[in-house]
Amino acid sequence: MRRVVASLLLGAVLAFPLRSAAQDLQPSPERQRVLIHLLRQDCGSCHGLHLKGGLGPALTRSALAGRSAQELTRTILEGRPGTAMPAWRTFLEPAEARWLAQLLLDGNALTSKP
Ligand code: HEC
């Protein structure tokens, strides 16, 4: 019995920081709607209405296959100097850019509800 209580306590202690870290990375539902709107309107103006490419390259799941979320997050935040890709760090928190990068990698950018 004692061991059960101890392992429950340990489980709670271990789970707590993990859960709060995950919540920090997840924008609020309202903010997610704003981000998806931004992706379709602003990013879409260069990357195409269906993100299949335009002035900027395609951002579909297949086009981004094998790319890391970290690299895409950096491109979104810093832009690509010398190209039309602007830096978004004044508009987006790092965790928000990361969330968008993951949305693109998962291929959910067009199917998620705005
Ligand atoms: C004014 C045009 C423009 C806008 C707006 C724009 N991009 Fe880009 N983006 C580009 C161009 C051009 C490139 C390719 C840069 C290069 O040649 O390296 C690019 C590259 C990228 C890449 C890297 C793709 C790859 O295959 O490496 C990502 C990811 C990306 N953009 C995401 C976004 C997101 C997310 C937004 C909106 C928040 C956005 N872009 C808005 C023009 C734009």
Side-chain angles (χ1 to χ4, degrees), residues 3-88:
R3 213 186 291 152
V4 173
V5 172
S7 66
L8 280 177
L9 279 175
L10 183 64
V13 167
L14 288 177
F16 182 71
L18 286 180
R19 202 177 320 126
S20 60
Q23 278 170 352
D24 285 350
L25 287 177
Q26 190 80 343
S28 68
E30 305 88 79
R31 192 61 185 158
Q32 288 185 16
R33 274 193 289 278
V34 171
L35 293 173
I36 289 173
H37 187 77
L38 175 94
L39 190 64
R40 292 179 190 168
Q41 301 299 312
D42 296 66
C43 315
S45 69
C46 281
H47 290 278
L49 191 61
H50 299 287
L51 302 179
K52 289 186 175 160
L55 175 61
L59 298 178
T60 54
R61 183 162 113 158
S62 53
L64 296 175
R67 312 293 294 280
S68 76
Q70 199 183 3
E71 177 199 348
L72 299 181
T73 303
R74 193 173 46 232
T75 297
I76 295 170
L77 288 174
E78 307 301 330
R80 291 257 174 92
T83 77
M85 176 62 185
W88 293 86

